[in-house]
Amino acid sequence: RQDGLPKARIRDKVRDVLDLVQMGRFGGRKPHQLSGGQRQRVALARCLAKEPKVLLLDEPLGALDRKLREQTQLELVNIQERVGITFVMVTHDQGEAMTMSSRIAVMNAGCLEQVGTPVEIYEYPGTRFVADFIGAANMFDGVVVEERAGVLVVHCSELEGEVLVDHGGSVPAGAPVTVMVRPEKMQILPGAPAAGLNTARGTVADIAYLGDVSIFHVALPTGRKVEVLQTNLRHTGDQGATWDDSVHLAWHPANALVLTR
């Protein structure tokens, strides 16, 4: 009405946007007759009805429970692809950002730390802050010893030895760095790992069973705890290691990353 559209056009547009957010059959209901998720969809429909060039979503799913939030995330992605409008979404939920975006900007104290695709941000964070903010990460302080055929050798006192990193880039010997390894990139082995892998020994201190995965906290002799994520492939729930077991940790040099800041 504010845009001066004829009644027939208004009726058609309202019907179209309600159908787009799967709310067409609830068009006659009052706000108090709608659930929280349905109200979120109506709010989105109001915005889409104006056909903006850019739509800002500020914590749009914060009030929803986990299952409804995950379902609505995918619905929003599908709607964005259908209408072709640029969505700019602000969120503190890292999983939500990874699921919904084609491009992520990570901010720290009002400054952009890194901009990239979800894969770039997660697999190749540019700074220690980004690595720690997006997903879980094991980070070990160390000093570059040398470079061998594109592989950096880093001495990490917490691991009581040297670590090989394929994705090291060009870093001079003697430079202080941080070696990052994601928990799912590490393996827990009962015996000594194969040659060519980075290794460490420790004791299983804690286990969190989450159904599809288990999270292990392994205490190293230096006192440092390392987080390892293991997929539960067996229906029996046999995790292969239990509390107080002495285990080997192993990870491939290609699955580690050197951070210089």
Side-chain angles (χ1 to χ4, degrees):
R1 286 197 296 267
Q2 290 175 342
D3 292 342
L5 297 178
K7 289 185 178 180
R9 175 62 178 145
I10 292 174
R11 184 175 61 252
D12 292 343
K13 183 178 273 293
V14 169
R15 183 189 65 242
D16 291 344
V17 294
L18 286 179
D19 288 342
L20 184 64
V21 298
Q22 302 179 24
M23 287 293 293
R25 60 195 180 99
F26 300 108
R29 291 194 180 184
K30 301 295 184 181
H32 70 273
Q33 297 174 310
L34 301 175
S35 68
Q38 291 169 340
R39 293 183 190 183
Q40 292 278 26
R41 290 191 177 94
V42 172
L44 178 62
R46 286 198 186 103
C47 298
L48 295 174
K50 298 289 290 182
E51 299 180 3
K53 293 182 179 180
V54 179
L55 181 60
L56 175 63
L57 305 171
D58 188 2
E59 301 280 1
L61 310 178
L64 306 182
D65 63 62
R66 180 178 177 181
K67 281 198 172 183
L68 183 55
R69 184 166 64 247
E70 291 174 351
Q71 176 186 346
T72 308
Q73 287 173 6
L74 298 179
E75 289 179 358
L76 278 174
V77 172
N78 292 331
I79 290 172
Q80 191 277 330
E81 290 177 349
R82 290 171 62 184
V83 300
I85 296 173
T86 298
F87 283 15
V88 178
M89 186 179 71
V90 180
T91 179
H92 290 84
D93 187 321
Q94 293 91 334
E96 188 171 282
M98 296 287 289
T99 300
M100 298 181 63
S101 65
S102 57
R103 200 158 175 254
I104 297 176
V106 181
M107 299 190 71
N108 178 23
C111 297
L112 284 174
E113 287 273 336
Q114 187 174 352
V115 179
T117 66
V119 172
E120 291 169 345
I121 294 292
Y122 185 81
E123 299 290 352
Y124 304 103
T127 67
R128 183 167 179 147
F129 175 85
V130 175
D132 190 47
F133 186 73
I134 299 292
N138 296 302
M139 289 183 277
F140 309 99
D141 293 329
V143 177
V144 175
V145 177
E146 62 176 331
E147 182 177 348
R148 303 173 188 164
V151 177
L152 280 183
V153 181
V154 182
H155 183 272
C156 296
S157 58
E158 291 177 310
L159 297 173
E160 297 184 312
E162 295 180 346
V163 176
L164 304 179
V165 184
D166 275 357
H167 296 293
S170 181
V171 184
V177 296
T178 299
V179 176
M180 183 209 76
V181 188
R182 296 289 187 189
E184 72 276 7
K185 312 287 190 189
M186 284 186 162
Q187 295 177 286
I188 293 182
L189 303 174
L197 298 178
N198 292 307
T199 64
R201 294 195 64 177
T203 303
V204 177
D206 296 296
I207 303 174
Y209 176 74
L210 304 179
D212 54 341
V213 298
S214 291
I215 299 174
F216 294 81
H217 287 173
V218 178
L220 305 181
T222 57
R224 170 68 189 275
K225 284 189 178 180
V226 177
E227 183 175 321
V228 182
L229 187 147
Q230 180 174 288
T231 303
N232 296 322
L233 299 177
R234 299 179 183 178
H235 182 64
T236 59
D238 180 13
Q239 300 159 335
T242 189
W243 283 268
D244 298 327
D245 278 0
S246 179
V247 295
H248 287 80
L249 301 179
W251 64 97
H252 195 278
N255 289 332
L257 186 70
V258 161
L259 302 173
T260 56
R261 60 188 182 97

